[in-house]
Amino acid sequence: GGGYGGGGYEDDGGYGGGGGYGGGGYGRGSFRGRGRGGFRGRGRGRGRGPPPDGPIDELKLYVGGLDWNVDKAGLQDIFSKYGECEAEVMLDKWSGRSRGFGFVTFADSGAATAAKEAMDGQEILGRVVAVNNARQRVELPEAGAPAGGDGGDEAPME
């Protein structure tokens, strides 16, 4: 069934099990489906983008690249040797699993700086972590708007 489902079914929102998979349509059909559904589930939509670009928080460190097995207590344990701190590991709201990054908030900025310099690029459970000063969230009036802010998806990316 080569060309049959190529046009009709595929464009009906990836409906056609019969059509989309026939011959040449396969690549296009399956790619389209992934683009749609895949984004939502993994929580990597457009709105999230890079970290917020607000003022740097002297007391709060972003810790990225964490092994999924590092929990809040483990993270706090690792960083508490640099000073009094409180850790949080960000969890996926659907699966409840670690999203691979967290934040550590220190009581004083000297301890935060010492921890950042000591831990950035170090291994935790075999994974190299990135440690940076967290930035404070800047609440913009159009927080839900697409990244770019000047028309979102209509403008070409180049």
Side-chain angles (χ1 to χ4, degrees):
Y4 174 58
Y9 277 114
E10 232 169 282
D11 292 336
D12 287 343
Y15 168 80
Y21 291 107
Y26 178 77
R28 253 198 346 259
S30 67
F31 178 80
R32 233 196 236 128
R34 264 206 314 268
R36 256 196 217 113
F39 270 116
R40 229 171 280 127
R42 279 199 303 281
R44 291 207 203 291
R46 270 175 220 282
R48 286 176 208 253
D53 52 1
I56 284 178
D57 191 330
E58 298 289 322
L59 300 175
K60 191 172 187 178
L61 299 179
Y62 160 86
V63 185
L66 288 172
D67 185 282
W68 282 346
N69 296 313
V70 176
D71 61 4
K72 179 178 169 170
L75 192 60
Q76 183 151 345
D77 199 43
I78 292 162
F79 279 86
S80 61
K81 60 175 165 256
Y82 301 101
E84 189 186 327
C85 66
E86 191 171 311
E88 54 181 326
V89 171
M90 307 316 281
L91 302 177
D92 184 293
K93 65 180 158 203
W94 288 285
S95 70
R97 265 205 326 204
S98 165
R99 290 182 57 199
F101 70 95
F103 296 95
V104 181
T105 308
F106 282 87
D108 76 286
S109 60
T113 303
K116 179 179 81 169
E117 287 170 1
M119 290 303 297
D120 188 32
Q122 296 300 310
E123 278 191 19
I124 297 178
L125 291 187
R127 288 183 59 108
V128 175
V129 296
V131 182
N132 299 300
N133 280 95
R135 290 180 177 272
Q136 294 164 5
R137 278 219 184 100
V138 179
E139 293 301 328
L140 296 170
E142 66 274 342
D150 57 9
D153 289 347
E154 274 114 298
M157 293 303 256
E158 289 93 51

